[in-house]
């Protein structure tokens, strides 16, 4: 934010609340003092007896009785996610924080409070896989739904409060350099839909980073009811209508989701300046969604430039439980808005789509001596993006996992797919075609990155991917390269231009 204006837009009031309270500019010493006051008052009034609980519940407002989505395992409203003692403790804490006069301090402490809601509720499950005192999480994080934990967790409220305060204070310290009294006026934090950016004029934005929902994976509005109920955050029917997800309490269809994502890409194109970039974060096992994103972006006039995997720190509970079916991490796809955008051309690879899929999977397994679900998925999507076969991929698979389980061995310990024991790589594809496949993919990437690699660089990049089946001689690679590439100077190479290279993928 130094010298730049920034706009954050999200439909979910909880997301907007988090940004607002995170960026609220406070002096660390003032925040520390306010926290001590709040903590001491809380300790002096902490409810212990039934009488205490009743007294607090009469005086301090608890969570709103917002209806929960159907399927919340018999719990119909948000207040039922908390026992009377949990409600009393949280209500007391919130009432004390609310007494803070300074808006920024109060909001910062409310962020800490929202962390306490995460921890102090009936859905909090202790962890069997994060072996630390603070492992575990509410059902919403574990199962992406509401369910009461089989064993109630007795959290040390004050200790937990101190820890939450530490997190908030550390996050603010980290941001101080960028977000401070001199820069905060440059930020607009908006609750709204990315489908309508009419408050931003055409071609006025320098860079967009967007991280939309990934289909039906996380139902954000449904799942934030637990926090909205405490933080007095309103969600309207219109918000649900505009939310870009599939499924959920409002039973949104795949088409609803696809339309909203496509419309938001059009809006982003409109507001972005020429010669500027859009980074689009996405994760999905179904190639149909990737195809939709690329197709819509290209129709708008964006040029695809490249994609890089982004890893998550701690894997989710779902990933931990089902490592071979649940994806973790995302790809960041970068698009460039240029006057004469090049579209991704379907490369003439001379292989049918089944061969391409098999070669891609075997190639990545051969290169790494086994590959995770994420490595395989990322490789297929990136190759699909670069060689223009996503549309064929989407016709063949909506989920690759059954095919992987049928065709490869899976090691539960290492979470790695490998070639079945006592079998060879299945690929029967002609060696020259396999070389051509990787050469086209590699040279296209180099062209986008405006690089002209030497022959040794090329061999180094593609050889590890060709370890399945016969490994080629350098001379064989050179002869295919001469076919599809052209020399730049004496020692470097680039891909032949359109027209010179017949582009038409066989189906
Ligand atoms: C993958 S999360 C990203 C969250 C957050 N931006 C981040 O980077 O951590 C997707 C977000 O998209 C928001 N969202 C869903 N539909 C939207 C829409 N039509 N306009 C704007 N945001 C939307 C959800 O509320 C959710 O917060």
């Amino acid at each position: 934010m130094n010298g730049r204006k920034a706009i954050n837009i999200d439909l979910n009031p909880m997301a907007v609340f988090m940004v607002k309270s995170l960026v609220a500019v406070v002096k660390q010493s003032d925040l520390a003092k306010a926290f001590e006051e709040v903590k001491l008052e809380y300790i002096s009034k902490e409810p212990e007896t039934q009488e205490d609980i009743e007294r607090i519940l009469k005086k301090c407002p608890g969570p709103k009785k917002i209806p929960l989505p159907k399927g919340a395992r018999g719990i119909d409203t948000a207040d039922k996610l908390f026992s009377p003692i949990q409600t009393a403790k949280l209500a007391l804490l919130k009432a004390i924080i609310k007494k803070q006069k300074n808006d920024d301090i109060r909001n910062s402490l409310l962020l800490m409070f929202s962390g306490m809601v995460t921890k102090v509720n009936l859905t909090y499950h202790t962890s069997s896989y994060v072996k630390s005192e603070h492992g575990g999480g509410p059902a919403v994080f574990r199962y992406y739904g509401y369910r009461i934990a089989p064993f109630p967790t007795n959290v040390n409220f004050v200790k937990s409060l101190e820890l939450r305060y530490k997190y908030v204070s550390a996050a603010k310290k980290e941001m101080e350099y960028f977000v401070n009294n001199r820069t905060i006026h440059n930020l607009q934090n908006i609750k709204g839909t990315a489908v309508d950016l009419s408050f931003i004029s055409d071609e006025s934005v320098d860079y967009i980073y967007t991280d939309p929902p990934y289909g039906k994976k996380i139902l954000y509005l449904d799942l934030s009811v637990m926090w909205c109920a405490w933080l007095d955050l309103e969600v309207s029917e219109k918000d649900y209508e505009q939310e870009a997800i599939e499924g959920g309490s409002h039973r949104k269809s795949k088409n609803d989701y696809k339309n909203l994502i496509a419309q938001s890409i059009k809006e982003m194109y409109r507001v972005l300046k020429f010669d500027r970039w859009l980074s689009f974060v996405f994760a999905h096992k179904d190639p149909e969604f990737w195809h939709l994103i690329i197709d819509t972006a290209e129709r708008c006039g964006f040029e695809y430039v490249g994609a890089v995997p982004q890893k998550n720190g701690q894997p989710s509970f779902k990933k931990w439980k089902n490592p071979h079916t649940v994806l973790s991490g995302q790809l960041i796809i970068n698009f460039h808005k240029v006057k004469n955008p090049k579209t991704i051309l379907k490369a003439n690879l001379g292989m049918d789509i089944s061969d391409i899929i098999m070669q891609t999977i075997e190639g990545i397994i051969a290169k790494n001596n086994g590959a995770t679900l994420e490595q395989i998925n990322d490789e297929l999507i990136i190759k699909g993006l670069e060689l223009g076969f996503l549309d064929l991929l989407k016709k063949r698979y909506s989920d690759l996992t059954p095919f992987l389980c049928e065709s490869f061995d899976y090691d539960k310990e290492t979470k790695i797919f490998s070639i079945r024991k006592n079998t060879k790589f299945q690929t029967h594809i002609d060696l020259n075609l396999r070389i051509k496949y990787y050469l086209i993919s590699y040279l296209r990437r180099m062209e986008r990155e405006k690089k002209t690699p030497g022959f040794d660089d090329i061999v180094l990049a593609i050889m590890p991917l060709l370890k399945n089946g016969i490994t080629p001689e350098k001379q064989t690679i050179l002869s295919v390269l001469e076919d599809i590439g052209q020399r730049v100077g004496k020692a470097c190479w680039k891909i032949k231009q359109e027209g010179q290279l017949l582009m038409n993928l066989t189906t």
Side-chain angles (χ1 to χ4, degrees):
M1 292 222 332
N2 281 349
R4 292 261 173 213
K5 289 184 180 159
I7 302 174
N8 173 59
I9 180 160
D10 198 298
L11 193 75
N12 191 317
M14 182 63 194
V16 178
F17 159 80
M18 286 174 77
V19 172
K20 180 175 91 177
S21 40
L22 201 56
V23 299
V25 178
V26 292
K27 248 168 95 181
Q28 286 282 340
S29 55
D30 292 348
L31 186 62
K33 187 165 161 271
F35 173 68
E36 270 316 296
E37 276 170 25
V38 167
K39 187 177 89 175
L40 290 179
E41 186 175 344
Y42 175 82
I43 292 173
S44 71
K45 296 178 177 166
E46 184 167 50
E48 277 163 18
T49 64
Q50 188 58 30
E51 265 178 13
D52 294 343
I53 295 174
E54 281 165 19
R55 187 172 28 80
I56 290 172
L57 292 182
K58 260 190 208 143
K59 254 177 67 187
C60 311
K64 287 212 177 109
K65 295 184 179 178
I66 305 178
L68 290 174
K70 286 205 173 61
R73 306 231 165 169
I75 328 158
D76 54 359
T77 48
D79 53 308
K80 297 194 181 134
L81 298 170
F82 307 88
S83 68
I85 180 90
Q86 289 174 333
T87 308
K89 286 182 174 183
L90 288 169
L92 174 65
L93 177 62
K94 182 179 160 193
I96 297 172
I97 292 174
K98 283 277 195 178
K99 287 199 279 187
Q100 287 290 322
K101 295 214 164 54
N102 179 300
D103 287 351
D104 291 330
I105 295 275
R106 194 174 57 249
N107 283 330
S108 305
L109 293 176
L110 280 174
L111 183 60
M112 171 190 78
F113 170 79
S114 74
M116 292 304 288
V117 174
T118 307
K119 192 110 207 208
V120 182
N121 60 73
L122 292 171
T123 79
Y124 196 89
H125 289 64
T126 41
S127 175
S128 48
Y129 76 111
V130 181
K131 301 267 181 235
S132 84
E133 193 192 336
H134 307 293
V140 162
F141 293 177
R142 287 198 139 206
Y143 306 108
Y144 304 142
Y146 295 99
R147 58 172 90 161
I148 304 293
F151 310 106
T153 313
N154 205 0
V155 171
N156 181 330
F157 198 90
V158 175
K159 217 170 144 197
S160 195
L161 190 62
E162 284 168 341
L163 188 69
R164 306 281 127 189
Y165 166 71
K166 257 197 206 160
Y167 291 158
V168 171
S169 150
K172 285 185 175 276
K173 219 175 236 159
E174 196 180 318
M175 293 190 325
E176 244 166 34
Y177 175 74
F178 301 102
V179 184
N180 50 49
N181 275 326
R182 275 172 290 112
T183 61
I184 189 70
H185 63 275
N186 287 330
L187 172 71
Q188 276 177 274
N189 181 26
I190 292 170
K191 178 185 171 297
T193 172
V195 164
D196 175 13
L197 304 177
S198 51
F199 62 97
I200 306 177
S201 46
D202 295 0
E203 295 171 33
S204 62
V205 173
D206 282 301
Y207 175 65
I208 300 177
Y209 183 91
T210 186
D211 181 9
Y214 314 140
K216 55 185 159 199
K217 189 173 175 196
I218 302 181
L219 312 167
Y220 291 93
L221 285 177
D222 281 347
L223 296 182
S224 45
V225 169
M226 187 164 98
W227 290 268
C228 290
W230 273 104
L231 294 163
D232 312 311
L233 300 170
E234 303 285 340
V235 175
S236 66
E237 270 306 300
K238 195 163 177 212
D239 293 333
Y240 277 103
E241 245 171 62
Q242 291 177 331
E243 189 181 28
I245 54 153
E246 194 190 333
S249 59
H250 286 57
R251 296 170 191 274
K252 304 192 80 161
S253 68
K254 195 171 184 173
N255 267 345
D256 293 334
Y257 174 67
K258 284 168 65 176
N259 288 338
L260 287 165
I261 293 289
Q263 284 171 39
S264 73
I265 294 175
K266 285 180 197 150
E267 267 300 76
M268 290 191 278
Y269 183 83
R270 179 183 67 74
V271 300
L272 197 64
K273 290 179 187 168
F274 274 97
D275 201 23
R276 296 295 193 273
W277 299 76
L278 159 67
S279 297
F280 198 108
V281 183
F282 202 65
H284 213 294
K285 285 201 293 185
D286 186 345
E288 180 173 354
F289 293 105
W290 295 95
H291 183 245
L292 168 87
I293 293 167
I294 295 296
D295 202 45
T296 315
E298 287 196 335
R299 276 171 208 267
C300 290
F302 277 117
E303 186 172 294
Y304 164 79
V305 183
V308 279
Q310 170 176 261
K311 296 288 152 239
N312 290 346
Q314 177 86 31
S316 67
F317 176 74
K318 277 206 166 177
K319 173 71 192 168
W320 176 75
K321 276 224 108 171
N322 309 295
H324 68 299
T325 54
V326 173
L327 273 186
S328 79
Q330 307 83 24
L331 283 179
I332 305 178
I333 321 174
N334 289 312
F335 293 106
H336 197 187
K337 177 169 168 177
V338 284
K339 293 274 183 202
N340 297 305
K342 288 188 210 120
T343 50
I344 300 168
L345 293 169
K346 288 184 178 185
N348 173 18
L349 299 167
M351 305 188 229
D352 77 9
I353 187 68
S354 316
D355 285 344
I356 293 174
I357 291 171
M358 194 46 115
Q359 175 56 43
T360 310
I361 299 172
E362 288 199 353
I364 192 77
I365 287 179
K367 181 180 169 190
N368 301 329
N369 289 323
T372 60
L373 176 68
E374 286 73 23
Q375 284 171 321
I376 294 171
N377 202 67
D378 288 355
E379 179 75 2
L380 264 175
I381 298 295
I382 292 179
K383 286 279 182 292
L385 284 168
E386 295 185 339
L387 297 169
F389 63 75
L390 273 180
D391 56 337
L392 299 178
L393 202 59
K394 86 170 186 189
K395 279 187 206 146
R396 190 58 64 98
Y397 294 108
S398 59
D399 180 356
L400 197 68
T401 312
F403 171 73
L404 285 177
C405 293
E406 253 168 49
S407 318
F408 298 92
D409 271 349
Y410 180 73
D411 183 326
K412 283 191 182 143
E413 281 289 305
T414 57
K415 302 176 181 51
I416 274 177
F417 287 97
S418 54
I419 301 303
R420 286 246 146 97
K421 283 205 180 64
N422 305 323
T423 58
K424 288 193 175 159
F425 283 95
Q426 288 181 28
T427 186
H428 52 273
I429 308 159
D430 176 72
L431 179 62
N432 282 11
L433 285 182
R434 291 197 287 133
I435 297 172
K436 185 172 160 190
Y437 170 66
Y438 289 116
L439 276 181
I440 294 181
S441 159
Y442 177 73
L443 288 179
R444 279 191 174 186
R445 189 168 349 119
M446 290 299 103
E447 188 183 36
R448 275 195 301 273
E449 291 175 14
K450 302 195 175 15
K451 290 180 188 156
T452 46
F455 182 61
D456 285 347
D457 301 323
I458 296 173
V459 172
L460 210 64
I462 72 162
M463 196 67 111
L465 291 156
L466 287 159
K467 284 195 300 185
N468 66 328
I470 308 159
T471 311
E473 301 288 330
K474 275 190 175 186
Q475 192 51 42
T476 321
I477 296 182
L478 186 61
S479 68
V480 182
L481 183 60
E482 278 166 345
D483 224 24
I484 62 142
Q486 70 186 60
R487 284 180 195 272
V488 181
K490 269 205 170 137
C492 296
W493 291 86
K494 67 175 193 179
I495 195 152
K496 272 186 191 162
Q497 292 313 301
E498 285 167 59
Q500 286 171 274
L501 191 64
L502 181 65
M503 299 291 178
N504 180 22
L505 184 67
T506 52
T507 51

